[in-house]
Amino acid sequence: MQPQQSFDVKQTLSKFDKYSNELLKSILVVLGVVSCVFYIVPLFDLNVMAIPAAKFSLAFIASVGSLAQAMLQSNSNANMGAALSTVGFASFSLLLSLAMILLPLLKQTEKHSGFTCIPALVNCIIFFMVNNAFSALSNSASSGSSNPLGSGAAHITINFFGYIYIAVQIAAILVSALILYRDNEAQKASAGMDAGMNAYQVSAQSTNAPQHSAVNPIPNATTSNQSQTAENQPQVGPQPQFCPNCGNKVEPGTKFCGNCGASIN
């Protein structure tokens, strides 16, 4: 039996390193635009006796939610009142979808693009809160309570576009998490490079420090000057000699005068 291999998150995320942050930010903008479009797309179906009777979008739910809550304010059913108040949160989905577009798009906020996962996550929470609110309304109808959506076998379910809406939000969360991971790794690499450069500068300064010699360079300069002075002085040859008797010029080292034969001391 082969041992089970552990799942390495860093190795898995490293496969996406070929995608730059600019491309990931563009994907976030596209996902935000799709999320805004889905605000007016019907995401829920009203089924009566297993037959689709109506469709509801988040925009429609947000518009009629407050009206239905006001109409049923005097109702003593606490579960229905809580459900209708939860439906009112659907109006925030559009603002959160706009935030998903603006965070990676604006220059002032593009460095915080990784936090786009927050509005996407809140969109998922609101969507499921609305779905749970509809389930509470259906339960109230089946128990005999008054329900503006009808009674009997009427219930509201998530349709195909609703699941696509959730998939878009999850994709935005994953892309944002990848951006945060890449930014974190870039900060670690930058900190490591800074530490390496500081260590290199310290070692370079210690290597290039001037080393003072114990030998005094002044005598060397004096010796050099003396040699230059000796070279500049003219060389004096041997002095000429003359015969003491006749005054004839004789060569140095000669013992007798070649003219008169006198001895030269």
Side-chain angles (χ1 to χ4, degrees):
M1 183 176 181
Q2 295 181 354
Q4 185 178 3
Q5 297 181 354
S6 60
F7 179 73
D8 191 354
V9 178
K10 288 189 175 181
Q11 184 178 2
T12 303
L13 290 177
S14 63
K15 297 179 181 179
F16 296 95
D17 285 343
K18 61 181 179 180
Y19 301 106
S20 63
N21 278 359
E22 297 299 326
L23 178 59
L24 295 177
K25 291 174 185 177
S26 301
I27 295 175
L28 283 179
V29 173
V30 173
L31 293 175
V33 172
V34 174
S35 181
C36 289
V37 172
F38 270 84
Y39 184 73
I40 61 176
V41 173
L43 306 179
F44 299 92
D45 289 340
L46 173 61
N47 298 322
V48 179
M49 301 297 293
I51 300 175
K55 296 180 181 294
F56 302 106
S57 64
L58 291 176
F60 176 79
I61 294 171
S63 61
V64 303
S66 58
L67 178 61
Q69 184 180 4
M71 292 173 60
L72 298 176
Q73 189 174 3
S74 60
N75 196 312
S76 59
N77 192 335
N79 292 331
M80 183 176 295
L84 290 174
S85 62
T86 302
V87 170
F89 287 104
S91 59
F92 292 100
S93 295
L94 180 60
L95 298 177
L96 294 171
S97 299
L98 291 175
M100 293 172 57
I101 299 174
L102 297 179
L103 274 176
L105 190 61
L106 297 179
K107 293 183 179 181
Q108 294 81 1
T109 58
E110 63 179 357
K111 61 181 179 180
H112 305 296
S113 300
F115 296 100
T116 309
C117 59
I118 296 177
L121 179 61
V122 176
N123 270 340
C124 290
I125 295 174
I126 291 176
F127 182 84
F128 288 111
M129 287 174 61
V130 172
N131 184 50
N132 291 335
F134 285 143
S135 298
L137 291 175
S138 299
N139 293 334
S140 298
S142 62
S143 62
S145 303
S146 60
N147 191 341
L149 299 178
S151 60
H155 62 280
I156 298 177
T157 58
I158 303 174
N159 61 16
F160 174 74
F161 294 104
Y163 290 110
I164 294 180
Y165 176 80
I166 291 299
V168 169
Q169 306 304 322
I170 294 176
I173 294 173
L174 295 178
V175 174
S176 302
L178 182 58
I179 292 177
L180 289 176
Y181 169 77
R182 289 171 59 88
D183 290 343
N184 186 32
E185 292 298 322
Q187 290 179 358
K188 289 182 181 179
S190 178
M193 291 178 61
D194 292 340
M197 288 298 297
N198 292 334
Y200 173 77
Q201 290 177 357
V202 171
S203 61
Q205 289 177 358
S206 61
T207 304
N208 296 331
Q211 299 179 359
H212 299 283
S213 176
V215 181
N216 191 359
I218 297 178
N220 293 335
T222 305
T223 305
S224 177
N225 293 334
Q226 290 178 355
S227 61
Q228 291 179 0
T229 304
E231 290 177 358
N232 294 333
Q233 291 179 353
Q235 297 180 358
V236 179
Q239 297 293 331
Q241 294 181 359
F242 299 90
C243 178
N245 183 29
C246 65
N248 183 34
K249 182 178 180 181
V250 295
E251 294 293 332
T254 304
K255 295 181 178 180
F256 299 95
C257 176
N259 185 26
C260 63
S263 177
I264 301 173
N265 296 327

